[in-house]
Every structure is written in C-alpha cells, then in structure tokens.
Amino acid sequence: LCCCEYVDRRGRRNHLAACCCDCEELDDCCDRWLTCKSLPPGALERIADTIADRLRVPWFSGAVKINVSLVPPLVLLPVFLHVAALHFLLGLIILTSLPVVVLWYYYLTHRRKERTLFFLSLGLFSLGYMYYVFLREVVPRGHVEYSQVVALTCGLILMLAALSRAKKDPGYLPIPAGNEKPSHQGLPNKSVRGSSSGLHGISGAASSRAVNGEAKGYCRMSAEQPEGVKKDWCTKCQLVRPARAGHCRLCGRCVRRLDHHCVWINSCVGEQNHQAFILALSFFMLTSVYGITLTLHTICRGRSPFVALLYCPGAYSDYSSALSFTCVWYCAIVTAGMGYILLIQLLNISYNVTEREARLALRDNTGRRLLGGLVIDTGQYNRGLLCNWGHFLSLGSAPPQRSAEDIV
C-alpha cells in the first residue's frame, strides 16, 4: 500500500482520493429526503460507519484511520475557552454547560456499551493546553519563579508516567486456547464448589488457594474462604474466574480484582494497575492545585487562592488575564470531579471493597452504607484500615494463580 491507500471495512483496497465515491447509503438518504420519504432503519448508522472508515490521514505503510472521538476535544475545547474569555457571562454559560455535555456523552456511551477515546483525548489535551496557556500567558508576567515552573513540569511528567502505567494490562485473565469450552460448560450459571469431585474439586481447591493468597500475611486473616466468596464461571470468556474477578462488558475480558472501567484512561482498573491509577490521580490533584495557585497569585495578587477564585476584579481587564482566569475555573471544575473520584477510591481501599463489589452489594442489598453513603462496606474482605492498605499496596506482587484449565 502507498501512503494514500488503505483496506476499507469491507476488505477492499481503496484510496483517499475516492473518499466521496461509492456512497450508496448517502445517495439513497438524499433521494428519500428530497421525495419526503422516511429513511430505512439503520441508514444513519451505516453512513456514520462509512464516514468513520474513510476519515484517514496518509502514512508510510498506508492511510491511518482517525478515531472520530479524538477530534471534538482538540477543536472545541480551545474555541470554547477563548469564547468564554470574552465576557464574564459567556464564561459562566460555557463553564456551566461543559460538564453537562460531558456527563451526557458519558451516559450515551455507557448506555450503548461503547468504548470511546473522547474522555482520554479530552483529559490529555486539557493537560497540554492548560500547560501551554500557563507558559504563554502566566509565566511572562514575571511573578512565577523558574523553580516553580520546574516543579509544575515535574509533577506533570510524573502524572503522565503513572497514567502510562495505568494504561497497561489491568490483570486480564488468559483466554483459553481456541476459546474451547471446558467439560463443565453445561453448568454455566452455577458456581464451582470446593466440595465437588473431579474438575469441580480442582476448581474449588484453586478458589481456596486464591482467596488464601489474598488474605495470607495481612493481620492473620482467616485461612477459610469468606462466606459468599466463590469462583464462578464466565459464559462469555469461557473460563473460571477467581474470587473478586469480574467481566468488563466494554473491554470484553475478565479482569482480576476488577474495580471499574475508567473512561478517562479507556481501560479497566484491576489488580495490576490499581496502584498506578491512584498514583496518577494523586499526582494530578497535586499538580493541578499547584498550577491553579500559581496562576491566581499572578493575576489576582494580594488575595488568597480561594478568595481570588470567587472574586477577582481585574480578571477581565485584558484578554490575557481573562483567558488565564477562565482556564483556572476550567481546571477547578475538572479538579473537583477528579478529587471526588480519588476520595471514593481512597475510602474503598480503606474498607477493602471495589467499585464493582459496591454496586453488586447495593443491587443485592447485602452491604451497609457508611460515611453518608460515600462507601459501601460488604464485610467480606474488611480487616481493618492498616490491613486493608497493606493488602492494596501488595497488589500485583504475588504471581497470579493458575486457572483450573491450566491445571487440567
């Protein structure tokens, strides 16, 4: 393939110059629109798929497809922030509507069970653009020292490094070779008991070892499997899941100690990357708060950061100050949202419960609400604050348990 050629979704060789050719679905929709006829079911989806498949850029080994969800943040975020800097009322309207639009898009993709790079693109581009505005509009004013810029840059680099680690394997369970169904597939909805014989006995023993492996060494946790904790059979992945593992419907894989699927990293948070996820959130909070403080000290001198955030008379005296102040408020909104996520995560770790377990406990009415409903204690793995944090800090250090299929 040359740099402008590609293989389309139908498996045919195509060229970027022919992006407007063979548009049967679009032609049919235009004809029906001109003749006032209703569109056939699924016509708009087919047109959207065709446009998404032909949206490509030239590359050495063939034209590379561009993910459509990457484009809106790159285009709309700078436009909205610059418009919001024109007037206080425009800023109030835009900064109020942005979270609503993001939440609406999250609800839309979550309901359709779709993976999207929109949130990851929005997060990374927001970081880069805020850093660019800080260097261009705030630093030249002369009130920010060189050491402070270095500290802010180091925090940003550490956060990106932790985010890169969090994007790696969260602890996916290996899919059986050939996706072959084991001999006990006739009971897909039944849990594998340790008291059974044959393959079920092996699975039960593996389950007991898995639970004991998590509990061993933490304040002398009981060697017995907690009541209600069991291995279960995943009908989609065709494997036996260890305790606390779960199937992610967005990734289509089972993950060890699945916490949740995070749209901001476009990946699951599980046993292998949970620590990096918490570290990335912590670095983000520290860096963001530090950047907000430096900016407010520059454009609203003589006021504390909290007071300056709410009342800064000279913020709209010139466009540079207005843009900086608008970006500060945008950062404050994002930081508040990420701070809430970090708070919930820290509380869950303190009670040794995952987001998935909390949702299941709420659904089955088996957990108790604590701290005003911020955390759901299931009572299965909670062994005290120090033991719970010791367990979390050791995640991923022990080798993963072998599944029943590997033993057989």
Side-chain angles (χ1 to χ4, degrees):
L1 296 176
C2 77
C3 61
C4 295
E5 290 182 321
Y6 64 95
V7 178
D8 60 17
R9 59 192 177 98
R10 297 178 180 177
R12 297 182 301 187
R13 191 171 180 141
N14 215 326
H15 197 278
L16 288 179
C19 62
C20 297
C21 302
D22 300 327
C23 299
E24 293 86 358
E25 295 90 353
L26 183 59
D27 294 340
D28 182 61
C29 288
C30 291
D31 292 339
R32 288 177 175 270
W33 178 71
L34 292 174
T35 56
C36 299
K37 295 181 180 179
S38 60
L39 296 178
L44 295 178
E45 287 78 3
R46 290 193 295 270
I47 294 175
D49 292 339
T50 302
I51 295 175
D53 184 57
R54 297 182 181 184
L55 188 61
R56 298 172 180 263
V57 294
W59 198 247
F60 299 104
S61 59
V64 179
K65 184 178 179 181
I66 299 177
N67 195 308
V68 181
S69 60
L70 291 172
V71 179
L74 305 181
V75 177
L76 297 180
L77 181 63
V79 173
F80 284 158
L81 291 179
H82 279 275
V83 172
L86 295 176
H87 194 272
F88 170 75
L89 293 179
L90 287 175
L92 181 63
I93 294 173
I94 291 177
L95 293 177
T96 304
S97 60
L98 274 179
V100 177
V101 173
V102 172
L103 290 175
W104 170 80
Y105 186 72
Y106 168 76
Y107 171 77
L108 184 65
T109 55
H110 184 74
R111 185 181 61 179
R112 295 181 178 179
K113 301 178 183 179
E114 296 178 352
R115 295 190 67 180
T116 175
L117 292 175
F118 173 83
F119 300 97
L120 179 61
S121 173
L122 177 62
L124 292 178
F125 185 68
S126 296
L127 287 173
Y129 192 70
M130 296 302 105
Y131 186 69
Y132 166 77
V133 171
F134 178 79
L135 293 180
R136 179 168 180 173
E137 305 294 343
V138 179
V139 174
R141 293 174 178 263
H143 300 295
V144 179
E145 298 179 0
Y146 177 77
S147 59
Q148 294 174 325
V149 177
V150 172
L152 185 68
T153 305
C154 290
L156 185 62
I157 293 175
L158 290 174
M159 192 277 297
L160 292 177
L163 182 62
S164 175
R165 175 60 187 88
K167 281 284 296 175
K168 295 183 179 179
D169 180 17
Y172 291 123
L173 290 173
I175 298 178
N179 202 22
E180 297 177 357
K181 297 182 181 180
S183 58
H184 59 284
Q185 65 177 0
L187 300 173
N189 296 324
K190 296 182 180 180
S191 60
V192 181
R193 303 292 181 181
S195 60
S196 303
S197 59
L199 179 59
H200 291 171
I202 296 174
S203 302
S207 175
S208 178
R209 288 194 299 270
V211 175
N212 294 341
E214 290 183 356
K216 189 178 297 183
Y218 300 108
C219 298
R220 298 181 181 178
M221 290 185 184
S222 173
E224 297 296 330
Q225 183 169 312
E227 183 181 358
V229 177
K230 56 190 177 184
K231 278 194 172 187
D232 59 343
W233 172 255
C234 179
T235 58
K236 296 182 179 180
C237 294
Q238 298 295 304
L239 52 80
V240 179
R241 294 186 300 207
R244 308 192 78 175
H247 183 87
C248 177
R249 62 180 184 177
L250 297 178
C251 296
R253 295 284 299 275
C254 284
V255 182
R256 294 183 181 275
R257 198 184 177 276
L258 175 63
D259 189 85
H260 68 288
H261 181 94
C262 181
V263 296
W264 294 105
I265 65 174
N266 194 34
S267 176
C268 290
V269 176
E271 184 178 84
Q272 298 295 325
N273 67 342
H274 201 170
Q275 296 174 353
F277 179 72
I278 296 298
L279 198 61
L281 282 177
S282 302
F283 278 130
F284 171 80
M285 292 295 299
L286 294 174
T287 306
S288 180
V289 171
Y290 187 59
I292 290 174
T293 303
L294 291 178
T295 305
L296 289 177
H297 276 315
T298 301
I299 62 178
C300 299
R301 297 190 61 80
R303 299 177 184 271
S304 64
F306 183 76
V307 174
L309 188 63
L310 299 177
Y311 180 70
C312 185
Y316 285 86
S317 59
D318 59 274
Y319 187 77
S320 177
S321 300
L323 180 61
S324 301
F325 189 72
T326 302
C327 291
V328 163
W329 258 106
Y330 175 74
C331 290
I333 293 173
V334 175
T335 303
M338 294 301 170
Y340 175 78
I341 295 176
L342 179 60
L343 175 63
I344 297 299
Q345 287 289 313
L346 295 179
L347 291 176
N348 286 343
I349 294 171
S350 300
Y351 286 90
N352 201 358
V353 63
T354 64
E355 279 291 314
R356 175 177 176 270
E357 292 167 349
R359 289 196 299 267
L360 294 178
L362 284 178
R363 185 193 66 184
D364 301 333
N365 198 22
T366 57
R368 57 188 183 124
R369 295 176 178 269
L370 300 175
L371 303 177
L374 290 177
V375 65
I376 307 298
D377 183 17
T378 61
Q380 288 181 313
Y381 300 97
N382 187 6
R383 298 296 183 272
L385 179 65
L386 296 180
C387 298
N388 294 338
W389 272 96
H391 170 67
F392 172 76
L393 295 176
S394 65
L395 286 179
S397 58
Q401 302 292 331
R402 297 177 64 190
S403 63
E405 290 82 357
D406 295 334
I407 297 175
V408 174

